[in-house]
Amino acid sequence: MFCFFLLSIALNMSNLSVGSQLPKGKNEGGFIYKYSGRLAFTQDSTLPRRVRIISWPDRQELSHVIIKDLKPFTISAELPAGNYAVESIFEGESDDAYWNAMGPIFDISESGQLKVHSNQGNILNHSRKMKLVSPRIMELEGLSPPRLEWEALEGATSYWVACLIKESPETVSEQEFIVRDIRDTHLSFPLGLQSGCRYEWSVHAEGEGGTLGYFSSAYIFTGGAQVQFMRQNLSLLSKKGARLGVFITESLKGTNQGGVHLGGVSLDSPASRAGLRMGDVLLEVGDHSFSNLSSYGAAKVIKALPTDQPVVFKVKRGEEVLMIMVHLEAT
């Protein structure tokens, strides 16, 4: 999404294509993964940065290099089968100027086949952090549309604002609006509000060459929805039940009619041991369909599954539909 500089470096074994075979490592079941790239910043850079290979979605650091300039670098690690990502973070306490940058998100099969699910190429692009004036988190007493306001970002020629609406944790988010080509640093909420909802909004700054920075996300609650969302989420987190060990991506309403998508599978989890993969789509388990479920709704279904006997998930992988037996863990 963010293409800030027309930079290129030669592709080599470090940035392999989908289906590439990784070389074997020294340890049984390990494979050598290498990534070569360079850092980029939309404006002045903040260094040093810690570029690391992490497990996904657990974010356990497995290898890192410290980058002190904008020259090309290479990072490598010996990895077993599983889901991983490359990211660049600030090497220090905090960075108020730039967001972290994500590189490729990928998985390695038991045979060492590499599959890249999200590939940002050879450039780890850091976007500026925009600063909000209001609201960051707001609970409205009535339904009067609020004013969205942010600080100007140097070099920005226009801004755009997007908003999602969610009626409860169990409902799938809907796209409420996108307003583009905003020349001011504020926007009156363009639509009427509904009671008992959460409105998630973000603002993005555009300049020469593309997006300079953004802030995501801020929240507006109506009709006591903030307490409702907090209670339901805390209830699910604190409730004991079954663990699958997956990251379920939240889809917009109408886009997950077939099921819910796995955005990652934790290492050494029931899901990974059963052979579930990042990119799989969960269709059904027992009498439960995952069609049109939110990530919260899907997690609630999984949490209630038995742990004293195997369960069978109906899964779509590419064009195939598979039946995968999983032994869930108790939490």
Side-chain angles (χ1 to χ4, degrees), residues 52-56 59-64 75-80 83-85 106 267:
R52 58 188 196 161
I53 297 174
I54 57 175
S55 60
W56 187 259
R59 306 186 82 91
Q60 299 177 38
E61 183 177 297
L62 305 171
S63 178
H64 79 271
I75 182 172
S76 64
E78 182 176 341
L79 304 171
N83 299 157
Y84 304 96
F106 59 95
L267 289 175

Side-chain angles (χ1 to χ4, degrees), residues 1-2 99 128 130-132 134-136 148-150 158-165 175-182 185-187 189-190 198-206 211 213-220:
M1 177 181 177
F2 305 115
W99 297 104
R128 285 294 301 267
M130 293 186 63
K131 295 182 180 180
L132 299 188
S134 70
R136 178 74 176 267
L148 312 179
E149 192 170 355
W150 54 91
S158 67
Y159 304 91
W160 60 275
V161 170
C163 181
L164 298 175
I165 180 174
Q175 185 74 58
E176 183 71 353
F177 64 77
I178 297 179
V179 180
R180 301 187 183 276
D181 200 29
I182 303 169
T185 56
H186 57 83
L187 175 71
F189 206 83
R198 186 190 76 184
Y199 295 84
E200 177 183 347
W201 72 281
S202 60
V203 59
H204 308 252
E206 297 291 324
T211 301
Y214 64 93
F215 187 94
S216 180
S217 296
Y219 298 93
I220 300 165

Side-chain angles (χ1 to χ4, degrees), residues 24 29 91 99-100 122 133 156 181 216 271 282 284 303 324:
K24 291 183 178 180
E91 178 64 9
W99 297 104
N100 296 338
N122 303 92
V133 176
D181 200 29
S216 180
L282 300 185
E284 297 173 6
K303 201 104 173 179
I324 297 181

Side-chain angles (χ1 to χ4, degrees), residues 8 35 53 59 65 86 109 147 185 197 259 275 282 312 314:
S8 64
Y35 173 84
I53 297 174
R59 306 186 82 91
V65 292
V86 176
S109 72
R147 174 185 168 105
T185 56
C197 293
L282 300 185
V312 177
K314 186 177 181 180

Side-chain angles (χ1 to χ4, degrees), residues 131-322:
K131 295 182 180 180
L132 299 188
V133 176
S134 70
R136 178 74 176 267
I137 299 177
M138 174 185 284
E139 177 78 54
L140 294 178
E141 294 184 2
L143 295 178
S144 298
R147 174 185 168 105
L148 312 179
E149 192 170 355
W150 54 91
E151 291 186 13
L153 186 61
E154 182 181 356
T157 55
S158 67
Y159 304 91
W160 60 275
V161 170
C163 181
L164 298 175
I165 180 174
K166 197 172 179 70
E167 296 178 359
S168 79
E170 297 194 45
T171 60
V172 180
S173 298
E174 294 185 69
Q175 185 74 58
E176 183 71 353
F177 64 77
I178 297 179
V179 180
R180 301 187 183 276
D181 200 29
I182 303 169
R183 301 294 170 166
D184 296 315
T185 56
H186 57 83
L187 175 71
S188 295
F189 206 83
L191 298 173
L193 299 176
Q194 303 175 43
S195 182
C197 293
R198 186 190 76 184
Y199 295 84
E200 177 183 347
W201 72 281
S202 60
V203 59
H204 308 252
E206 297 291 324
E208 289 188 18
T211 301
L212 297 179
Y214 64 93
F215 187 94
S216 180
S217 296
Y219 298 93
I220 300 165
F221 297 90
T222 60
Q226 185 173 4
V227 173
Q228 174 197 0
F229 273 77
M230 288 179 61
R231 282 177 177 170
Q232 286 189 266
N233 286 325
L234 287 173
S235 174
L236 183 63
L237 288 172
S238 61
K239 184 178 180 182
K240 293 186 177 181
R243 174 181 177 265
L244 180 58
V246 296
F247 171 62
I248 298 171
T249 57
E250 178 80 31
S251 302
L252 292 180
K253 189 173 183 179
T255 62
N256 67 339
Q257 293 177 357
V260 293
H261 294 252
L262 300 188
V265 176
S266 299
L267 289 175
D268 195 28
S269 65
S272 66
R273 291 193 289 270
L276 287 170
R277 301 179 188 172
M278 178 166 50
D280 284 350
V281 179
L282 300 185
L283 302 176
E284 297 173 6
V285 58
D287 297 329
H288 301 283
S289 169
F290 288 103
S291 180
N292 277 326
L293 283 187
S294 64
S295 56
Y296 174 93
K300 190 175 178 181
V301 168
I302 292 169
K303 201 104 173 179
L305 293 173
T307 58
D308 58 350
Q309 61 188 41
V311 295
V312 177
F313 284 86
K314 186 177 181 180
V315 177
K316 186 175 182 183
R317 179 176 296 162
E319 298 302 317
E320 287 186 282
V321 175
L322 309 172

